[in-house]
């Protein structure tokens, strides 16, 4: 079945950083009918971003999950190395790496190049949206739009509202996410938002259960998959995300929300041994090839 989205997305969208997430965000807005400008830091990265976006658009068409025309989407996509090309955008979504200083300077530079009525969002997965807003001239026009990886297949976007986000943007951001054919979850800015905080809490408890010998990883995951209808068990999901990535999030949540997020010793030991999950072939489970 093909699905046509209501046009409630901004007409002209900018994306800063065309990596894994930025390319996915560009893809989502192109499918919904926006014109999209992706700004990258160098020519090679811009070329890679363009390839990634066009490949994913072609895949979406092949799957038959969307209506549209590849040539039209390509015409609606512009790659650039100049922040000045964000000038005509209604909305810019920032998706540069998760480094505070980089995010702050990039967001400030984007804001300087935006029209007064444009909106600005960050795809940060862990940094304080309140804190980022406080570095901007127009914090009421700024919020978090936390997309999930891989963007084309993921239905969820967390809309992260800062203390400074204005009423108009609170409404618009929800409409935009719905216009992308995704489901918004509205969260007031707090460490880990809704998804990482709860997801990591369950994973840490599952790891403590392995550590205490309560049950095997298989049995713990099966308890959640078969008993609670989780699509993937918390340990298998930790292997997919990467133990190192989840350790980083747990350390951050421990520092902001307290000891209940302290990473179990087993998790630290596995990371030290390089058992990071799927990407290294071994985590709580083993993976061939
Ligand atoms: N990967 C995930 O699963 C995931 C999920 C949700 C949110 N996020 C968040 O999304 C953001 C981006 O993550 P990613 O996984 O796409 O990273 P990535 O490394 O794949 O992409 C980042 C891109 O930003 C570009 N870049 C760096 N500095 C730049 C600059 N000054 N100007 C323009 N472009 C610049 C890089 O060339 C790269 O293409 C991070 O904040 C991350 O926390 C990631």
């Amino acid at each position: 079945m093909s699905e046509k989205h209501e046009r409630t997305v901004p007409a002209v969208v900018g994306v800063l950083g065309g990596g894994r997430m930025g390319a996915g965000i560009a893809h989502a807005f192109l499918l919904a009918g926006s014109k999209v400008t992706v700004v990258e830091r160098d020519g090679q990265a811009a070329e890679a971003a363009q390839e990634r976006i066009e490949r994913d658009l072609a895949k979406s068409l092949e799957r038959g999950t969307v209506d549209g025309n590849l040539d039209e989407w390509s015409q609606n996509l512009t790659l650039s190395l100049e922040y000045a090309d964000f000038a005509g955008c209604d909305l810019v979504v920032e998706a540069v790496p998760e480094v505070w200083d980089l995010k702050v300077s990039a967001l400030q530079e984007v804001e300087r190049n935006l029209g007064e009525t444009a909106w600005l969002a960050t795809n940060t997965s862990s940094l304080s949206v309140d804190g980022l807003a406080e570095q901007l001239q127009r914090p009421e026009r700024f919020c978090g739009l936390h997309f999930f990886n891989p963007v084309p297949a993921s239905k969820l976007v967390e809309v992260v509202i800062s203390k400074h986000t204005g009423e108009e943007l609170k409404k618009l951001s929800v409409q935009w996410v719905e216009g992308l054919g995704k489901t918004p979850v509205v969260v007031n800015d707090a460490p880990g938002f809704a998804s990482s905080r709860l997801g990591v809490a369950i994973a840490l408890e599952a790891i403590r259960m392995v550590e205490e010998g309560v049950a095997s990883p298989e049995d713990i995951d099966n308890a959640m998959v078969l008993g609670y209808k989780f699509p993937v068990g918390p340990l298998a999901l930790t292997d997919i995300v990467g133990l190192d990535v989840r350790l980083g999030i747990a350390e951050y949540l421990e520092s902001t929300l307290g000891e209940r997020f302290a990473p179990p010793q087993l998790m630290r030991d596995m990371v030290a041994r390089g058992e990071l999950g799927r990407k290294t072939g071994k985590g709580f489970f083993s993976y061939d090839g």
Side-chain angles (χ1 to χ4, degrees), residues 3-9 20-32 56-57 60 63 65-66 93 123 145-159 171-186:
E3 169 189 328
K4 211 168 178 93
H5 304 313
E6 284 286 316
R7 246 314 277 282
T8 51
V9 292
R20 210 173 346 174
M21 297 307 293
I25 294 165
H27 169 273
F29 279 104
L30 285 165
L31 289 187
D56 286 348
L57 287 168
S60 296
R63 280 201 205 101
T65 51
V66 290
V93 184
N123 185 48
L145 286 178
H146 182 213
F147 288 79
F148 283 71
N149 184 29
V151 180
S154 177
K155 284 281 172 201
L156 174 63
V157 180
E158 281 182 303
V159 173
K171 289 195 199 108
L172 278 175
S173 50
V174 165
Q175 284 173 21
W176 295 333
V177 172
E178 288 169 350
L180 296 175
K182 300 189 186 289
T183 302
V185 166
V186 180

Side-chain angles (χ1 to χ4, degrees), residues 18-236:
R20 210 173 346 174
M21 297 307 293
I25 294 165
H27 169 273
F29 279 104
L30 285 165
L31 289 187
S34 305
K35 286 187 186 300
V36 177
T37 297
V38 178
V39 171
E40 256 296 350
R41 61 178 165 183
D42 59 44
Q44 205 180 352
E47 219 171 280
Q50 180 155 11
E51 271 173 30
R52 190 178 291 131
I53 297 165
E54 290 184 343
R55 188 193 57 218
D56 286 348
L57 287 168
K59 271 196 215 158
S60 296
L61 260 193
E62 273 165 33
R63 280 201 205 101
T65 51
V66 290
D67 284 335
N69 178 300
L70 215 47
D71 291 337
E72 208 174 291
W73 289 326
S74 294
Q75 279 163 22
N76 282 344
L77 172 65
T78 306
L79 271 297
S80 165
L81 305 181
E82 302 297 333
Y83 283 55
D85 287 335
F86 285 142
C89 289
D90 302 307
L91 163 71
V92 172
V93 184
E94 166 278 311
V96 298
E98 194 79 342
V99 178
W100 175 263
D101 289 348
L102 173 60
K103 293 268 193 210
V104 170
S105 62
L107 285 166
Q108 288 175 337
E109 185 65 18
V110 174
E111 193 184 43
R112 275 194 285 278
N113 284 277
L114 284 182
E116 295 239 317
T117 58
W119 307 101
L120 182 55
T122 176
N123 185 48
T124 183
S125 38
S126 66
L127 300 175
S128 161
V129 178
D130 284 346
L132 292 171
E134 280 153 20
Q135 306 296 318
L136 296 172
Q137 296 294 318
R138 296 189 290 273
E140 71 284 0
R141 305 191 77 79
F142 175 71
C143 70
L145 286 178
H146 182 213
F147 288 79
F148 283 71
N149 184 29
V151 180
S154 177
K155 284 281 172 201
L156 174 63
V157 180
E158 281 182 303
V159 173
V160 187
I161 303 299
S162 92
K163 287 192 285 231
H164 310 278
T165 305
E167 290 305 316
E168 195 184 352
L169 182 54
K170 286 184 194 172
K171 289 195 199 108
L172 278 175
S173 50
V174 165
Q175 284 173 21
W176 295 333
V177 172
E178 288 169 350
L180 296 175
K182 300 189 186 289
T183 302
V185 166
V186 180
V187 192
N188 289 318
D189 185 36
F193 310 141
S195 56
S196 298
R197 179 163 168 176
L198 209 46
V200 168
I202 293 167
L204 293 178
E205 199 54 37
I207 297 168
R208 279 191 281 266
M209 287 165 70
V210 177
E211 194 170 59
E212 291 166 18
V214 172
S216 68
E218 286 84 353
D219 286 346
I220 291 169
D221 271 13
N222 277 340
M224 291 295 103
V225 172
L226 302 175
Y228 283 76
K229 298 196 164 44
F230 279 33
V232 187
L235 297 167

